[in-house]
Amino acid sequence: MDTLAMHISNGIINGPVAAVFAAFALAALALCVVRGRQDLDDRLAPMAGLVAAFIFAVQMLNFPIFTGAVSGHLLGGALAAILVGPWVGALCVAVVLIVQALVFGDGGVAMLGLNITNMAVLGTAVAYLLVALLLRLLPRTVSGLAVTAFVASVVSVLAASQGFVVQYWLGGTTDLGSGLAGLAGTMAGVHLLIGVGEGLITATTVVTVAKIRPDLVHALRGRTVASPGTPPVPAAGGAR
Amino acid sequence: MTKRSGLFILGGLLVALLLAGVVSNFASAHPDGLDSTLRKGCVFDADDTIVGGSCPAQQAREHELADSPLADYGVRGVDNTYLSTGLAGALGVLLTFAVGGGLFWLTRRRPTAGPAGSAASGDAAGPAGSATPAPGQRSDDMSATADGRP
């Protein structure tokens, strides 16, 4: 068995359920292309390529979490949603998952729809909804942005982990009987800790980009972020 | 893309290359959250083979492309594990940037094929090449026209 598997491997979910999610993922990505084109201009396109490459890199960096011999890694939905918006962001994560499945043997090709649904679609969507909400509620400061990125990351990772639980309930290949609640609990517990790691990485990255080039942070378009001590940096306005 | 944006992209790529090419060698080797959850209930020997118990991971089957030259985030034929992981990571970053950036660049909204407004202004500044903008025409439309529209 692959010891380096980071995503759902072949055989874990049955074929029919995997096929249904492949169709769903394809439809969702098609919608993302249509809606994402509104955002994709000469400036965002290379930035989106960079975000995908960066997520690929950071996904390789498994970090230890507190519960014994378990590690975690970035999923990237929150990072992508904040930096390039929800539609293009989901496409960024999907590109990473497709490259990993087709070139690096990570995550079964037949399971691609399941992995894309959990991490690219669900993870990015949940993150973006929280980002949109929190940026309205929290003060428009660097710490407001950091808290937004952190909370959106934690919840998005939890949502993605529970997406897998639903998929396992529909088509898991081992009969857990009443053990599904146990699976849900274990996945949630472990991914809460992974979400904390993801939140720290995402907040650090987003705040760094916001300090260097606030105009390249999609979530800050049409807003200003004031950092203590320095005058407010006007973010370049852009049509959503 | 402006020169300043180009520098930012280049800098970001270098950071990603450093993370995937060097720092990746210090990543935790423990199974990740999903993998460890699926292994719960099974007993593993030193070679990481299941020797007892029952767990979802038992059903895992071989990857379709397990023979890929970059499978398992290593370059086949490179024996030094640090070099192998680092090279695979760096290649992955470049490949992801090329594939992702290329697809995004191809599907991007062209300045000339934008919303109805700029298309109309394009007609106004057609072959006649009127030097003065029509009343109400925005200056950014003019610059788009000047950027080598056919």
Side-chain angles (χ1 to χ4, degrees), chain A residues 126-138 148 223:
Chain A
V126 168
Y128 182 73
L129 291 177
L130 271 164
V131 167
L133 177 74
L134 290 175
L135 282 183
R136 282 188 181 85
L137 296 178
L138 293 171
T148 299
R223 295 169 171 274

Side-chain angles (χ1 to χ4, degrees), chain B residues 9-93:
Chain B
I9 300 290
L10 199 66
L13 265 183
L14 285 177
V15 172
L17 284 172
L18 195 70
L19 292 175
V22 181
V23 184
S24 59
N25 275 297
F26 303 97
S28 167
H30 290 309
D32 71 3
L34 171 69
D35 204 15
S36 67
T37 305
L38 296 180
R39 289 155 62 108
K40 211 176 166 187
C42 283
V43 182
F44 293 81
D45 66 8
D47 291 333
D48 214 36
T49 310
I50 297 173
V51 291
S54 163
C55 63
Q58 277 168 317
Q59 297 296 324
R61 290 198 300 270
E62 182 85 336
H63 193 280
E64 295 95 334
L65 305 167
D67 294 332
S68 159
L70 292 176
D72 285 347
Y73 300 92
V75 182
R76 197 201 303 145
V78 178
D79 292 334
N80 182 315
T81 52
Y82 287 94
L83 199 61
S84 181
T85 305
L87 269 178
L91 285 172
V93 165

Side-chain angles (χ1 to χ4, degrees), chain A residues 193-220:
Chain A
L193 296 173
I194 293 173
V196 170
E198 167 133 3
L200 296 174
I201 295 171
T202 304
T204 308
T205 308
V206 167
V207 165
T208 305
V209 177
K211 280 183 174 162
I212 303 174
R213 290 290 302 274
D215 57 311
L216 289 181
V217 181
H218 184 278
L220 296 182

